[in-house]
Amino acid sequence: MKEENGAIRTFMSQNYLHFNAATVVDAAQGYEQHLLEGGKMLISLAGAMSTAELGISLAEMIRNDKVDIISCTGANLEEDIMNLVAHSHYKRIPNYRDLTPQDEYDLLNNKYNRVTDTCIPEEEAFRRIQSHIEKIWKDAEAKGERYFPHQYMYQLLLSGVLEEHYEIDPKNSWMLAAAEKNLPIVVPGWEDSTMGNIFASYVIKGELQACTVKSGIEYMVWLADWYAIHANGKGIGFFQIGGGIAGDFAMCVAPMLEQDLERDNLLKWRYYCQITDSTTSYGSYSGCIPNEKITWGKLDVDTPSYVIESDATIVAPLIFAWILKW
């Protein structure tokens, strides 16, 4: 029996026929086809997508096995959990364009950190997590154990110590969905995040050793092993939200394996889509067109590629809705 399309997918089929809108549908169909043919899919998350509550759709993608691995910034790793435990304390500022420097300073003094129109509450978000994750770090070090940043977050979520603080439906947390499936995640540049800063402060104070958290090089080594296992058959696709380190770190594993390790029996990335509001410009990674990636050995000549020049907070949930037949 043919599965019925949901209202969002039907609307997109009927209305998204040209220009950026048509590319949204093309990219969604390409993603869907790649999975149907047995391919794997990596999603990279840059920008404040967790604070934009991408978890509402991404968690369902994870539960339905529509994503096999995630590459994300340290901010996206932690901000989904912050939203989970401190949502009611977030402050929305629709007129953020009108704020003066003094207005911004007042927000800081009231312990609100602004991300565009949304302020994250320091005490309820950062500090609520800090005491628990500090214990997990120190317990691991006492036992001589080392883990990746996302694995510590998985331990935090699966321990249940945060459940009493949940302020959204937990089904809308992509990190919780990922933890429950033990989904592979790589987090390049984790130290550039609030939890990374907090961990560094403990190292500076002599309370923890830097090696207790596994490094970015170790993430790359792990990713190379994972990629080598799956870069055959239909291969691995790459769905990139934004640009930056979350995108390029993961994408570089293909040329590294071929050029530096001389593994010429592996496929390059076999699907590519980027959602970006960066204009094509001089030297910009986020603004370069997919063909440029061919010259770096990241994509192949026949890799299906799509660039959607739009706001990822609008477009990514639509593509996920298409794939989930919403």
Side-chain angles (χ1 to χ4, degrees):
M1 180 177 177
K2 186 177 180 181
E3 188 173 353
E4 293 293 325
N5 289 335
I8 297 174
R9 182 164 164 145
T10 299
F11 178 87
M12 291 170 65
S13 298
Q14 294 172 348
N15 293 274
Y16 284 20
L17 306 177
H18 301 282
F19 317 132
N20 256 320
T23 307
V24 170
V25 174
D26 291 343
Q29 290 174 329
Y31 189 132
E32 188 173 50
Q33 189 63 31
H34 182 76
L35 295 186
L36 286 172
E37 293 176 1
K40 303 289 185 181
M41 188 63 73
L42 177 146
I43 291 178
S44 74
L45 296 177
M49 296 306 297
S50 289
T51 296
E53 300 193 65
L54 186 66
I56 294 170
S57 55
L58 181 55
E60 197 67 12
M61 290 280 287
I62 293 169
R63 283 190 290 271
N64 283 273
D65 300 316
K66 305 299 185 184
V67 51
D68 298 281
I69 182 172
I70 288 174
S71 174
C72 75
T73 59
N76 274 299
L77 188 76
E78 66 196 16
E79 287 177 15
D80 179 81
I81 303 174
M82 292 174 186
N83 182 58
L84 176 64
V85 301
H87 181 80
S88 69
H89 299 277
Y90 277 55
K91 183 182 183 70
R92 185 161 182 263
I93 304 179
N95 64 329
Y96 66 92
R97 290 182 176 88
D98 301 325
L99 296 178
T100 67
Q102 185 60 50
D103 292 333
E104 305 279 21
Y105 189 64
D106 291 342
L107 287 172
L108 170 65
N109 287 335
N110 284 290
K111 300 188 182 299
Y112 280 109
N113 300 132
R114 185 171 69 82
V115 181
T116 313
D117 71 342
T118 302
C119 291
I120 301 174
E122 179 180 323
E123 291 300 323
E124 292 81 5
F126 306 137
R127 305 308 170 195
R128 183 164 286 171
I129 294 172
Q130 180 178 352
S131 61
H132 297 295
I133 198 69
E134 175 189 352
K135 183 179 187 305
I136 292 171
W137 289 333
K138 290 182 175 179
D139 286 350
E141 185 167 304
K143 292 184 285 187
E145 297 173 352
R146 305 175 62 241
Y147 298 99
F148 286 118
H150 77 278
Q151 292 175 317
Y152 282 116
M153 291 300 197
Y154 280 2
Q155 291 176 36
L156 173 66
L157 288 166
L158 297 177
S159 71
V161 296
L162 293 178
E163 287 183 11
E164 64 179 297
H165 302 297
Y166 286 178
E167 294 193 354
I168 63 169
D169 190 328
K171 75 179 180 62
N172 292 331
S173 166
W174 74 262
M175 272 294 291
L176 187 57
E180 290 170 347
K181 276 191 170 285
N182 196 26
L183 188 78
I185 299 181
V186 294
V187 191
W190 173 73
E191 56 274 15
D192 179 22
S193 67
T194 299
M195 291 301 121
N197 289 176
I198 289 171
F199 180 83
S201 75
Y202 288 127
V203 174
I204 293 167
K205 291 184 290 186
E207 296 181 22
L208 284 167
Q209 299 180 55
C211 62
T212 297
V213 175
K214 290 186 178 181
S215 70
I217 293 296
E218 290 172 285
Y219 260 134
M220 181 60 83
V221 172
W222 182 92
L223 179 60
D225 289 339
W226 185 91
Y227 190 93
I229 292 169
H230 298 290
N232 51 57
K234 184 61 179 175
I236 311 165
F238 201 110
F239 188 83
Q240 180 174 323
I241 297 174
I245 192 171
D248 202 32
F249 178 93
M251 184 157 279
C252 282
V253 73
M256 182 191 73
L257 284 163
E258 181 180 47
Q259 298 167 18
D260 302 319
L261 291 168
E262 300 179 347
R263 300 281 299 276
D264 57 6
N265 59 327
L266 299 175
L267 295 172
K268 297 179 176 66
W269 296 100
R270 294 303 304 152
Y271 163 97
Y272 177 70
C273 174
Q274 181 181 15
I275 307 168
T276 178
D277 57 6
S278 175
T279 56
T280 303
S281 60
Y282 304 107
S284 166
Y285 173 77
S286 299
C288 77
I289 61 174
N291 284 357
E292 185 176 304
K293 292 174 171 56
I294 296 173
T295 74
W296 290 88
K298 299 171 182 177
L299 305 182
D300 218 330
V301 174
D302 62 346
T303 298
S305 300
Y306 313 88
V307 175
I308 304 165
E309 296 178 290
S310 189
D311 183 338
T313 64
I314 298 170
V315 172
L318 287 174
I319 290 180
F320 294 165
W322 176 284
I323 294 162
L324 294 166
K325 295 183 169 63
W326 284 358

